[in-house]
Amino acid sequence: MKKICYHIPGMDCPSEERIIRMKLDGVEGLEALDFDLEGRKLDVFHSGEVEEITPLIESLNMGGSVSLVSEVDELPDEAVDHSRERKMLWAVLIINAVFFVGEMIAGWLSGSMGLVADSLDMLADALVYGLSLWAVGALVVRKKRVAAVSGYLQLALAAMGLMEVIRRVTGAEIFPDFRTMIVVSVLALAANSLSLYLLQKSKSKGQHVKASMICTSNDVIINAGIIVSAGLVYWTGSAIPDLVTGTVVFGLVVWGAIRIIKLSR
C-alpha cells in the first residue's frame, strides 16, 4: 500500500477537507485519508497508482502537489475512525441552517443586503456540513448530484442578491434598519461562537480544532463587518456601507458555489 503525501496550500478549513473527501469518494483502492489542515497537508493511503489520485486533487484548484510517495504496511489510527465528529457536525449544521432562515427573513424585512448575504454564507456552511453527513453507502453519483444542486442553488441566490444590490445602487431608495442589523449580527456572532465551542469540545484532533477556529474566524469577521456597516449607515445616513458589505459577502458565496459545482463534475 502506498502513502501519498500532498501539500495543498488552498486547504485550511473543514469545508475544504469535506470537498476533497467527496472528490475522492469511490476511488478504487483508496484505503484512508489523513488530513493536517493546519499544515495544509494530506496523506492518501492507496493500493493503486499515484496517477489515479493526483489529477483529482489538482482539479480542485487548491494548489495540491505531491511531496512524497512511500510504501506502508498499515494505516494510522487517526486515519480510520471519523465517526466521533458526526454529532458535532449535526449540531453545527442545525445552527447554520436556523440562522440562514432567521437572517434571510431579518435581512429582507430590515432592507439590509449585508444580512441577506450573511444568511447565504450560513446556507453555504450548512450545505457543506450536510453533504459531509450524507448517508453511508450512498452512491457517488447521487452525492455529486446533491453537490451540484446545492452549488447551483447558492449561485442563483447570490446572483439574485447581487442584482438587488445593483437595483438599489441605480435608483431604488431603500434605507436599511441599522438597529436590526446590529441585533441580528450580534446573535449570528453568538451562533458562530457556539459553533466554535462545540468544535472545541468535540473529540476531534487538535489540528482539526485549530483549523476550524481559523474557518470560524472568517464568519466572525463577516459578522463584525456587518455591525460596522450598520454603524456607518447610521453615521452617514446612507445605505452604501450596507450595499458594499453585501456585495463582498455575495462574492464569497459565489466563489464557494463555483467550487462545489466543479466538484460535482
Side-chain angles (χ1 to χ4, degrees), residues 134-213:
W134 189 252
V136 176
L139 296 176
V140 176
V141 173
R142 189 183 304 168
K143 292 182 181 180
K144 289 189 174 183
R145 286 175 181 170
V146 173
V149 171
S150 66
Y152 283 116
L153 173 62
Q154 291 178 54
L155 194 60
L157 292 174
M160 288 189 289
L162 288 170
M163 289 171 59
E164 177 64 15
V165 169
I166 293 172
R167 187 180 76 86
R168 295 189 184 190
V169 170
T170 56
E173 296 182 1
I174 299 178
F175 191 77
D177 183 348
F178 67 89
R179 297 178 185 84
T180 301
M181 291 174 64
I182 292 175
V183 171
V184 175
S185 294
V186 168
L187 292 175
L189 183 62
N192 283 320
S193 298
L194 176 58
S195 296
L196 181 58
Y197 172 77
L198 293 174
L199 291 168
Q200 290 175 326
K201 295 296 289 184
S202 73
K203 296 181 180 180
S204 301
K205 295 185 297 181
Q207 293 172 337
H208 178 82
V209 170
K210 291 179 181 179
S212 299
M213 290 175 63

Coordinates of all heavy atoms in Angstrom, one line a residue, residues 134-213:
W134 N -23.9 12.9 4.6 CA -24.7 12.1 3.7 C -24.6 10.6 4.1 O -23.6 10.1 4.5 CB -24.2 12.3 2.2 CG -25.1 11.7 1.2 CD1 -24.9 10.5 0.5 CD2 -26.4 12.1 0.8 NE1 -25.9 10.3 -0.4 CE2 -26.9 11.3 -0.2 CE3 -27.2 13.2 1.1 CZ2 -28.1 11.4 -0.9 CZ3 -28.4 13.4 0.5 CH2 -28.8 12.5 -0.5
A135 N -25.7 9.9 4.0 CA -25.8 8.5 4.4 C -24.7 7.7 3.9 O -24.3 7.7 2.7 CB -27.2 7.9 4.0
V136 N -24.1 6.9 4.8 CA -23.1 6.0 4.5 C -23.6 5.0 3.4 O -24.6 4.4 3.6 CB -22.5 5.2 5.7 CG1 -21.5 4.2 5.3 CG2 -22.0 6.2 6.7
G137 N -22.8 4.8 2.4 CA -23.2 3.8 1.4 C -24.0 4.4 0.2 O -24.3 3.7 -0.7
A138 N -24.3 5.7 0.3 CA -25.0 6.4 -0.8 C -24.1 6.3 -2.1 O -22.9 6.4 -2.0 CB -25.3 7.8 -0.5
L139 N -24.7 6.2 -3.2 CA -23.9 6.2 -4.5 C -23.2 7.5 -4.7 O -23.7 8.6 -4.4 CB -24.9 5.9 -5.6 CG -25.6 4.6 -5.6 CD1 -26.6 4.5 -6.8 CD2 -24.6 3.4 -5.7
V140 N -22.0 7.3 -5.2 CA -21.1 8.5 -5.5 C -21.9 9.5 -6.5 O -21.8 10.7 -6.3 CB -19.8 8.1 -6.1 CG1 -19.0 9.3 -6.5 CG2 -19.0 7.2 -5.1
V141 N -22.5 8.9 -7.5 CA -23.3 9.7 -8.5 C -24.3 10.5 -7.8 O -24.5 11.7 -8.1 CB -23.9 8.8 -9.5 CG1 -24.8 9.7 -10.4 CG2 -22.8 8.1 -10.4
R142 N -25.0 9.9 -6.8 CA -26.1 10.7 -6.1 C -25.5 11.8 -5.2 O -26.0 12.9 -5.2 CB -26.8 9.7 -5.1 CG -28.1 10.3 -4.5 CD -28.7 9.3 -3.6 NE -29.0 8.1 -4.2 CZ -29.4 7.0 -3.5 NH1 -29.5 7.0 -2.2 NH2 -29.6 5.8 -4.2
K143 N -24.3 11.5 -4.6 CA -23.7 12.6 -3.8 C -23.3 13.8 -4.7 O -23.4 14.9 -4.3 CB -22.4 12.0 -3.2 CG -22.7 11.0 -2.1 CD -21.4 10.6 -1.4 CE -21.6 9.5 -0.3 NZ -20.4 9.1 0.3
K144 N -22.8 13.5 -5.9 CA -22.4 14.5 -6.8 C -23.6 15.3 -7.3 O -23.5 16.5 -7.5 CB -21.6 13.9 -8.0 CG -20.2 13.5 -7.5 CD -19.3 13.1 -8.7 CE -17.9 12.7 -8.3 NZ -17.0 12.4 -9.5
R145 N -24.7 14.7 -7.5 CA -25.9 15.4 -7.9 C -26.4 16.3 -6.8 O -26.8 17.5 -7.1 CB -27.0 14.4 -8.2 CG -26.8 13.6 -9.5 CD -27.9 12.5 -9.7 NE -27.7 11.8 -10.9 CZ -28.4 10.7 -11.3 NH1 -29.3 10.2 -10.4 NH2 -28.2 10.1 -12.4
V146 N -26.3 15.9 -5.6 CA -26.7 16.7 -4.4 C -25.7 17.9 -4.4 O -26.2 19.1 -4.1 CB -26.7 16.0 -3.1 CG1 -26.9 16.9 -1.9 CG2 -27.8 14.9 -3.1
A147 N -24.5 17.7 -4.6 CA -23.5 18.8 -4.5 C -23.8 19.8 -5.6 O -23.7 21.0 -5.4 CB -22.1 18.2 -4.7
A148 N -24.1 19.3 -6.8 CA -24.4 20.2 -8.0 C -25.7 21.0 -7.6 O -25.7 22.2 -7.9 CB -24.7 19.4 -9.2
V149 N -26.7 20.4 -7.1 CA -27.9 21.1 -6.8 C -27.6 22.2 -5.7 O -28.1 23.4 -5.9 CB -29.0 20.2 -6.3 CG1 -30.2 21.0 -5.7 CG2 -29.5 19.3 -7.4
S150 N -26.9 21.9 -4.7 CA -26.6 22.9 -3.7 C -25.7 24.0 -4.2 O -25.9 25.2 -3.9 CB -25.8 22.2 -2.5 OG -24.6 21.7 -2.9
G151 N -24.8 23.7 -5.1 CA -23.9 24.7 -5.7 C -24.7 25.7 -6.6 O -24.6 26.9 -6.4
Y152 N -25.6 25.1 -7.4 CA -26.4 26.0 -8.3 C -27.4 26.8 -7.5 O -27.7 27.9 -7.8 CB -27.1 25.1 -9.3 CG -26.2 24.7 -10.5 CD1 -25.9 23.4 -10.7 CD2 -25.6 25.7 -11.3 CE1 -25.1 23.0 -11.7 CE2 -24.8 25.3 -12.3 CZ -24.5 23.9 -12.5 OH -23.7 23.6 -13.6
L153 N -27.9 26.2 -6.4 CA -28.8 27.0 -5.5 C -28.1 28.2 -4.9 O -28.7 29.3 -4.9 CB -29.3 26.1 -4.4 CG -30.2 26.7 -3.3 CD1 -31.5 27.3 -3.9 CD2 -30.5 25.7 -2.2
Q154 N -26.9 28.0 -4.4 CA -26.2 29.1 -3.8 C -25.9 30.1 -4.9 O -26.0 31.3 -4.6 CB -24.8 28.6 -3.2 CG -25.0 27.7 -2.0 CD -23.6 27.2 -1.5 OE1 -22.7 28.0 -1.3 NE2 -23.5 26.0 -1.4
L155 N -25.5 29.7 -6.1 CA -25.1 30.6 -7.1 C -26.3 31.4 -7.5 O -26.2 32.6 -7.8 CB -24.6 29.8 -8.3 CG -23.9 30.6 -9.4 CD1 -22.6 31.3 -8.9 CD2 -23.5 29.6 -10.6
A156 N -27.5 30.8 -7.7 CA -28.7 31.5 -8.1 C -29.1 32.5 -7.0 O -29.5 33.7 -7.3 CB -29.9 30.5 -8.3
L157 N -29.1 32.1 -5.7 CA -29.4 33.1 -4.7 C -28.5 34.3 -4.6 O -28.9 35.4 -4.4 CB -29.5 32.3 -3.3 CG -30.6 31.3 -3.2 CD1 -30.5 30.6 -1.9 CD2 -32.0 32.0 -3.2
A158 N -27.2 34.0 -4.7 CA -26.2 35.0 -4.7 C -26.4 36.0 -5.9 O -26.2 37.2 -5.8 CB -24.8 34.5 -4.7
A159 N -26.7 35.4 -7.1 CA -26.9 36.2 -8.3 C -28.1 37.2 -8.1 O -28.0 38.4 -8.4 CB -27.1 35.3 -9.5
M160 N -29.2 36.6 -7.5 CA -30.3 37.5 -7.2 C -30.0 38.6 -6.2 O -30.5 39.7 -6.3 CB -31.5 36.6 -6.7 CG -32.1 35.7 -7.8 SD -33.7 34.9 -7.2 CE -33.0 33.7 -6.1
G161 N -29.2 38.2 -5.2 CA -28.8 39.2 -4.3 C -27.9 40.3 -4.9 O -28.2 41.5 -4.6
L162 N -27.0 40.0 -5.8 CA -26.2 41.0 -6.5 C -27.1 41.9 -7.4 O -26.8 43.1 -7.5 CB -25.1 40.3 -7.3 CG -24.0 39.7 -6.4 CD1 -23.1 38.8 -7.3 CD2 -23.2 40.8 -5.7
M163 N -28.1 41.3 -8.0 CA -29.0 42.0 -8.9 C -29.8 43.1 -8.0 O -30.0 44.2 -8.4 CB -29.9 41.1 -9.6 CG -29.3 40.3 -10.7 SD -30.4 39.0 -11.4 CE -31.7 40.0 -12.0
E164 N -30.1 42.6 -6.8 CA -30.9 43.6 -5.9 C -29.9 44.7 -5.5 O -30.4 45.9 -5.4 CB -31.4 42.8 -4.7 CG -32.1 43.6 -3.6 CD -33.3 44.3 -4.1 OE1 -33.9 43.9 -5.2 OE2 -33.8 45.2 -3.5
V165 N -28.7 44.4 -5.2 CA -27.7 45.4 -4.9 C -27.6 46.5 -6.0 O -27.6 47.7 -5.8 CB -26.3 44.8 -4.6 CG1 -25.3 45.9 -4.5 CG2 -26.3 44.0 -3.3
I166 N -27.5 45.9 -7.3 CA -27.4 46.8 -8.4 C -28.7 47.7 -8.5 O -28.6 48.9 -8.8 CB -27.2 46.0 -9.7 CG1 -25.8 45.3 -9.7 CG2 -27.3 46.9 -11.0 CD1 -25.6 44.4 -10.8
R167 N -29.8 47.1 -8.3 CA -31.1 47.8 -8.4 C -31.1 48.9 -7.4 O -31.6 50.1 -7.7 CB -32.3 46.9 -8.1 CG -33.7 47.5 -8.4 CD -34.8 46.5 -8.1 NE -35.0 46.3 -6.7 CZ -35.8 47.0 -5.9 NH1 -36.4 48.0 -6.5 NH2 -35.9 46.8 -4.6
R168 N -30.6 48.7 -6.2 CA -30.7 49.7 -5.2 C -29.6 50.8 -5.5 O -29.9 52.0 -5.2 CB -30.4 49.1 -3.8 CG -31.5 48.1 -3.3 CD -31.3 47.7 -1.9 NE -32.3 46.7 -1.5 CZ -32.5 46.3 -0.3 NH1 -31.7 46.7 0.7 NH2 -33.4 45.4 0.0
V169 N -28.5 50.4 -6.0 CA -27.5 51.4 -6.3 C -28.0 52.4 -7.4 O -27.7 53.6 -7.4 CB -26.2 50.8 -6.7 CG1 -25.2 51.8 -7.3 CG2 -25.5 50.1 -5.5
T170 N -28.7 51.8 -8.4 CA -29.1 52.6 -9.5 C -30.5 53.3 -9.4 O -31.0 53.9 -10.3 CB -29.3 51.7 -10.8 OG1 -30.2 50.6 -10.5 CG2 -27.9 51.1 -11.1
G171 N -31.0 53.3 -8.1 CA -32.2 54.1 -8.0 C -33.2 53.7 -6.9 O -33.9 54.6 -6.4
A172 N -33.3 52.5 -6.5 CA -34.2 52.1 -5.5 C -33.8 52.6 -4.1 O -32.7 52.2 -3.6 CB -34.4 50.6 -5.5
E173 N -34.6 53.5 -3.6 CA -34.2 54.1 -2.3 C -34.8 53.3 -1.1 O -35.9 53.5 -0.7 CB -34.7 55.5 -2.3 CG -34.1 56.5 -3.3 CD -34.6 57.9 -3.2 OE1 -35.5 58.1 -2.3 OE2 -34.2 58.7 -4.0
I174 N -33.9 52.3 -0.7 CA -34.3 51.5 0.5 C -33.3 51.7 1.6 O -32.1 51.4 1.4 CB -34.4 50.0 0.1 CG1 -35.5 49.8 -1.0 CG2 -34.7 49.2 1.3 CD1 -35.6 48.4 -1.5
F175 N -33.7 52.3 2.7 CA -32.7 52.6 3.7 C -32.8 51.4 4.8 O -33.9 51.2 5.4 CB -33.0 53.9 4.4 CG -32.0 54.4 5.3 CD1 -30.8 54.9 4.8 CD2 -32.1 54.3 6.7 CE1 -29.8 55.4 5.7 CE2 -31.2 54.7 7.6 CZ -30.0 55.3 7.1
P176 N -31.7 50.7 5.0 CA -31.7 49.6 6.0 C -31.9 50.0 7.4 O -31.5 51.1 7.8 CB -30.4 48.9 5.7 CG -29.5 50.0 5.2 CD -30.4 50.9 4.4
D177 N -32.5 49.2 8.2 CA -32.7 49.4 9.6 C -31.5 49.0 10.3 O -31.2 47.8 10.6 CB -33.9 48.6 10.1 CG -34.2 48.9 11.6 OD1 -33.4 49.5 12.3 OD2 -35.3 48.5 12.1
F178 N -30.7 50.0 10.7 CA -29.3 49.6 11.3 C -29.5 49.0 12.7 O -28.6 48.2 13.1 CB -28.5 50.9 11.5 CG -29.0 51.9 12.4 CD1 -28.6 51.9 13.8 CD2 -29.9 52.9 12.0 CE1 -29.1 52.8 14.7 CE2 -30.4 53.9 12.9 CZ -30.0 53.8 14.3
R179 N -30.6 49.2 13.4 CA -30.8 48.6 14.7 C -31.0 47.0 14.5 O -30.4 46.2 15.2 CB -32.1 49.1 15.4 CG -31.9 50.6 15.7 CD -33.2 51.1 16.3 NE -33.2 52.6 16.6 CZ -33.5 53.5 15.6 NH1 -33.9 53.1 14.4 NH2 -33.4 54.8 15.9
T180 N -31.8 46.6 13.5 CA -32.0 45.2 13.2 C -30.7 44.6 12.8 O -30.3 43.5 13.2 CB -33.1 45.0 12.2 OG1 -34.3 45.6 12.6 CG2 -33.3 43.5 11.9
M181 N -29.9 45.3 12.0 CA -28.6 44.8 11.5 C -27.7 44.5 12.7 O -27.1 43.4 12.7 CB -27.9 45.8 10.6 CG -28.6 46.0 9.3 SD -27.9 47.4 8.3 CE -26.2 46.7 8.0
I182 N -27.7 45.4 13.7 CA -26.8 45.2 14.8 C -27.2 44.0 15.7 O -26.5 43.1 16.0 CB -26.7 46.5 15.6 CG1 -26.0 47.6 14.9 CG2 -26.0 46.2 17.0 CD1 -25.9 48.9 15.6
V183 N -28.5 44.0 16.0 CA -29.1 42.9 16.8 C -28.9 41.5 16.2 O -28.4 40.6 16.9 CB -30.6 43.2 17.1 CG1 -31.2 41.9 17.8 CG2 -30.8 44.4 18.0
V184 N -29.3 41.4 14.9 CA -29.2 40.1 14.3 C -27.7 39.7 14.1 O -27.4 38.5 14.3 CB -29.9 40.1 12.9 CG1 -29.7 38.8 12.2 CG2 -31.4 40.4 13.1
S185 N -26.8 40.6 13.8 CA -25.4 40.3 13.6 C -24.8 39.9 14.9 O -23.9 39.0 15.0 CB -24.7 41.5 13.1 OG -25.1 41.8 11.8
V186 N -25.2 40.5 16.0 CA -24.7 40.0 17.3 C -25.2 38.6 17.6 O -24.4 37.8 18.2 CB -25.2 41.0 18.4 CG1 -24.9 40.4 19.8 CG2 -24.5 42.4 18.3
L187 N -26.4 38.3 17.3 CA -26.9 36.9 17.5 C -26.2 35.9 16.6 O -25.8 34.8 17.1 CB -28.4 36.9 17.2 CG -29.3 37.6 18.2 CD1 -30.8 37.6 17.7 CD2 -29.2 37.0 19.6
A188 N -25.9 36.3 15.4 CA -25.1 35.5 14.5 C -23.7 35.3 15.0 O -23.1 34.2 14.9 CB -25.1 36.1 13.1
L189 N -23.2 36.3 15.6 CA -21.8 36.2 16.2 C -21.8 35.2 17.3 O -20.9 34.4 17.5 CB -21.4 37.6 16.7 CG -20.0 37.7 17.3 CD1 -18.9 37.4 16.2 CD2 -19.8 39.2 17.8
A190 N -22.9 35.3 18.1 CA -23.1 34.3 19.2 C -23.2 32.9 18.7 O -22.7 32.0 19.3 CB -24.3 34.7 20.1
A191 N -23.9 32.7 17.6 CA -24.1 31.4 17.0 C -22.8 30.8 16.5 O -22.5 29.7 16.7 CB -25.1 31.5 15.8
N192 N -22.0 31.7 15.9 CA -20.6 31.3 15.4 C -19.7 30.9 16.6 O -19.0 30.0 16.5 CB -20.0 32.3 14.5 CG -20.6 32.4 13.1 OD1 -20.8 31.3 12.5 ND2 -20.8 33.6 12.6
S193 N -19.9 31.7 17.7 CA -19.1 31.4 18.9 C -19.5 30.0 19.5 O -18.7 29.3 19.9 CB -19.3 32.5 19.9 OG -18.9 33.7 19.4
L194 N -20.8 29.7 19.4 CA -21.3 28.5 19.9 C -20.8 27.3 19.1 O -20.4 26.3 19.6 CB -22.9 28.4 19.9 CG -23.5 27.1 20.3 CD1 -23.1 26.7 21.7 CD2 -25.1 27.2 20.3
S195 N -20.8 27.5 17.7 CA -20.3 26.5 16.8 C -18.8 26.2 17.2 O -18.4 25.1 17.2 CB -20.4 27.0 15.4 OG -21.7 27.1 15.0
L196 N -18.1 27.3 17.4 CA -16.6 27.2 17.8 C -16.5 26.4 19.1 O -15.6 25.5 19.2 CB -16.0 28.5 17.9 CG -14.5 28.6 18.2 CD1 -13.7 27.8 17.2 CD2 -14.0 30.0 18.3
Y197 N -17.4 26.7 20.0 CA -17.3 26.0 21.3 C -17.6 24.5 21.1 O -16.9 23.7 21.7 CB -18.4 26.6 22.3 CG -18.5 25.8 23.5 CD1 -17.6 25.9 24.6 CD2 -19.6 24.9 23.7 CE1 -17.8 25.2 25.8 CE2 -19.8 24.2 24.9 CZ -18.9 24.3 25.9 OH -19.0 23.6 27.1
L198 N -18.5 24.2 20.3 CA -18.8 22.7 20.0 C -17.7 22.0 19.3 O -17.4 20.9 19.7 CB -20.1 22.6 19.2 CG -21.4 23.1 19.8 CD1 -22.5 23.0 18.8 CD2 -21.7 22.2 21.0
L199 N -17.0 22.8 18.4 CA -15.9 22.2 17.8 C -14.7 22.0 18.8 O -14.0 20.9 18.7 CB -15.4 23.1 16.6 CG -16.3 23.3 15.4 CD1 -15.9 24.4 14.6 CD2 -16.3 22.0 14.6
Q200 N -14.6 22.9 19.7 CA -13.5 22.7 20.7 C -13.8 21.6 21.7 O -12.9 20.9 22.1 CB -13.3 24.1 21.4 CG -12.7 25.2 20.6 CD -12.7 26.5 21.3 OE1 -13.6 26.8 22.1 NE2 -11.6 27.3 21.1
K201 N -15.1 21.4 22.0 CA -15.5 20.4 23.0 C -15.5 19.0 22.3 O -15.7 18.0 23.1 CB -16.8 20.7 23.6 CG -16.8 22.0 24.4 CD -15.9 21.9 25.7 CE -16.5 20.9 26.7 NZ -15.7 20.8 27.9
S202 N -15.5 18.9 21.0 CA -15.5 17.6 20.4 C -14.2 16.9 20.6 O -13.2 17.4 21.1 CB -15.8 17.8 18.9 OG -14.6 18.3 18.2
K203 N -14.2 15.6 20.2 CA -13.0 14.8 20.4 C -12.2 14.8 19.2 O -11.3 13.9 19.0 CB -13.4 13.4 20.8 CG -14.2 13.3 22.1 CD -14.5 11.9 22.5 CE -15.2 11.8 23.8 NZ -15.6 10.4 24.2
S204 N -12.3 15.8 18.3 CA -11.5 15.8 17.1 C -10.1 16.1 17.5 O -9.8 16.6 18.6 CB -12.1 16.9 16.2 OG -13.4 16.7 15.8
K205 N -9.2 15.9 16.5 CA -7.8 16.2 16.8 C -7.5 17.7 16.9 O -8.3 18.5 16.4 CB -6.9 15.7 15.6 CG -7.0 14.2 15.4 CD -6.0 13.7 14.3 CE -6.4 14.3 13.0 NZ -5.5 13.8 11.9
G206 N -6.5 18.0 17.7 CA -6.1 19.4 17.9 C -6.0 20.2 16.6 O -6.4 21.3 16.5
Q207 N -5.3 19.6 15.6 CA -5.1 20.3 14.3 C -6.5 20.6 13.7 O -6.6 21.7 13.1 CB -4.3 19.4 13.4 CG -2.9 19.2 13.9 CD -2.1 18.2 13.1 OE1 -2.7 17.4 12.4 NE2 -0.8 18.3 13.1
H208 N -7.4 19.7 13.8 CA -8.7 20.0 13.2 C -9.4 21.1 13.9 O -10.0 22.0 13.3 CB -9.6 18.7 13.3 CG -11.0 18.9 12.8 ND1 -11.2 18.8 11.4 CD2 -12.1 19.1 13.4 CE1 -12.5 18.9 11.3 NE2 -13.1 19.2 12.4
V209 N -9.3 21.2 15.2 CA -9.9 22.2 16.0 C -9.3 23.6 15.7 O -10.0 24.6 15.5 CB -9.8 21.9 17.5 CG1 -10.2 23.2 18.3 CG2 -10.6 20.7 17.9
K210 N -8.0 23.6 15.5 CA -7.3 24.9 15.2 C -7.7 25.3 13.8 O -8.0 26.5 13.6 CB -5.8 24.7 15.2 CG -5.2 24.5 16.6 CD -3.7 24.3 16.6 CE -3.2 24.0 18.0 NZ -1.7 23.8 18.0
A211 N -7.8 24.4 12.9 CA -8.3 24.8 11.5 C -9.7 25.3 11.5 O -10.1 26.2 10.8 CB -8.1 23.6 10.6
S212 N -10.6 24.6 12.4 CA -12.0 25.1 12.5 C -12.0 26.5 13.1 O -12.9 27.3 12.7 CB -12.7 24.1 13.4 OG -12.7 22.8 12.8
M213 N -11.1 26.8 14.0 CA -11.1 28.1 14.6 C -10.7 29.2 13.5 O -11.3 30.3 13.5 CB -10.0 28.2 15.7 CG -10.4 27.4 16.9 SD -9.1 27.4 18.2 CE -9.0 29.2 18.6

